[in-house]
Amino acid sequence: MPGLEYLIPFLAATLAFAYLPGPAMLYTAAQTIARGRAAGFWAVLGIHLGCYAHVAGAAFGLSAVFQLVPAAYLALKLAGAAYLIYLGIGLIVQRRRPTGDVPPPRARRSALLQSMLVEILNPKVAIFFIAFLPQFVDPTAAFPLWAQFLILGTVVNLAFSSADVVVVLFASTVMARARRSGVWERVARMVGGTLLVGLGARLAAERTP
């Protein structure tokens, strides 16, 4: 493993990045506002699992393709943006249905798989890992470089997921009473859907690095 001269700055930078407001926080907040706390937690798990695709990509050099082939980055970015907009519109036009703290199995699977796909289709995450992790990898350490990438990437992923959990808890606490009314349920879906559409539009409009 890297020495303390690498690990201490790594942990400090990881926590700083993890708790800065970002797209993942907005996404989990949108899911929580629109579908409730349980759906928010399933969204966090989906993002967490999807992120390991980017961790593996950084460890084995696959993510470098996005830097070498800008068209691949652009294609994945637009696919991810379109999917976010699709999910947002789906929330906005969705008919009212009973809500509760525990969504049915089909809804849980849907929230999990949708969130995994949202994360995997976001090439910005891949670029972040291949820009961030190499700064803290020690070429002289006993662990091979790919193993260091995997370990450090897992720590980063866990830190970001902890921040997303805090967002879900905060959003669900603030909205708990208001969600009891049918009117609020409709407003909540509108707000959550609009956030997702906005995230998709933002991702599509951002310049390719």
Side-chain angles (χ1 to χ4, degrees):
M1 281 294 293
L4 288 178
E5 68 274 16
Y6 288 92
L7 289 178
I8 293 176
F10 165 74
L11 292 175
T14 296
L15 289 175
F17 277 117
Y19 282 84
L20 281 174
M25 287 187 178
L26 287 175
Y27 176 82
T28 53
Q31 291 289 347
T32 305
I33 291 170
R35 294 176 170 172
R37 181 173 61 182
F41 284 135
W42 282 101
V44 171
L45 179 59
I47 290 175
H48 182 81
L49 294 176
C51 188
Y52 284 117
H54 297 298
V55 173
F60 299 107
L62 302 178
S63 297
V65 171
F66 294 127
Q67 290 184 322
L68 299 175
V69 186
Y73 177 93
L74 179 61
L76 192 64
K77 182 185 77 167
L78 292 178
Y83 190 59
L84 276 170
I85 293 171
Y86 166 77
L87 292 179
I89 293 174
L91 280 181
I92 293 171
V93 303
Q94 176 182 299
R95 292 181 178 181
R96 183 185 174 187
R97 62 186 181 188
T99 58
D101 288 337
V102 182
R106 183 175 180 180
R108 294 197 294 266
R109 288 195 300 271
S110 177
L112 178 67
L113 295 176
Q114 286 177 359
S115 302
M116 287 179 63
L117 191 55
V118 164
E119 184 72 359
I120 291 171
L121 290 176
N122 187 357
K124 287 185 63 181
V125 180
I127 297 298
F128 169 79
F129 276 113
I130 61 176
F132 180 69
L133 293 183
Q135 303 176 60
F136 306 102
V137 169
D138 184 2
T140 64
F143 276 55
L145 292 179
W146 65 266
Q148 293 184 57
F149 269 97
L150 286 178
I151 293 170
L152 295 178
T154 298
V155 172
V156 171
N157 196 12
L158 289 170
F160 274 76
S161 292
S162 73
D164 293 338
V165 167
V166 171
V167 170
V168 171
L169 291 173
F170 178 77
S172 61
T173 300
V174 170
M175 303 300 177
R177 290 187 178 181
R179 281 189 61 85
R180 293 175 185 172
S181 76
V183 174
W184 167 252
E185 182 184 347
R186 175 62 180 167
V187 172
R189 290 201 306 268
M190 290 287 294
V191 171
T194 301
L195 282 173
L196 294 185
V197 171
L199 283 173
R202 177 184 174 186
L203 178 61
E206 287 180 342
R207 293 184 177 181
T208 301

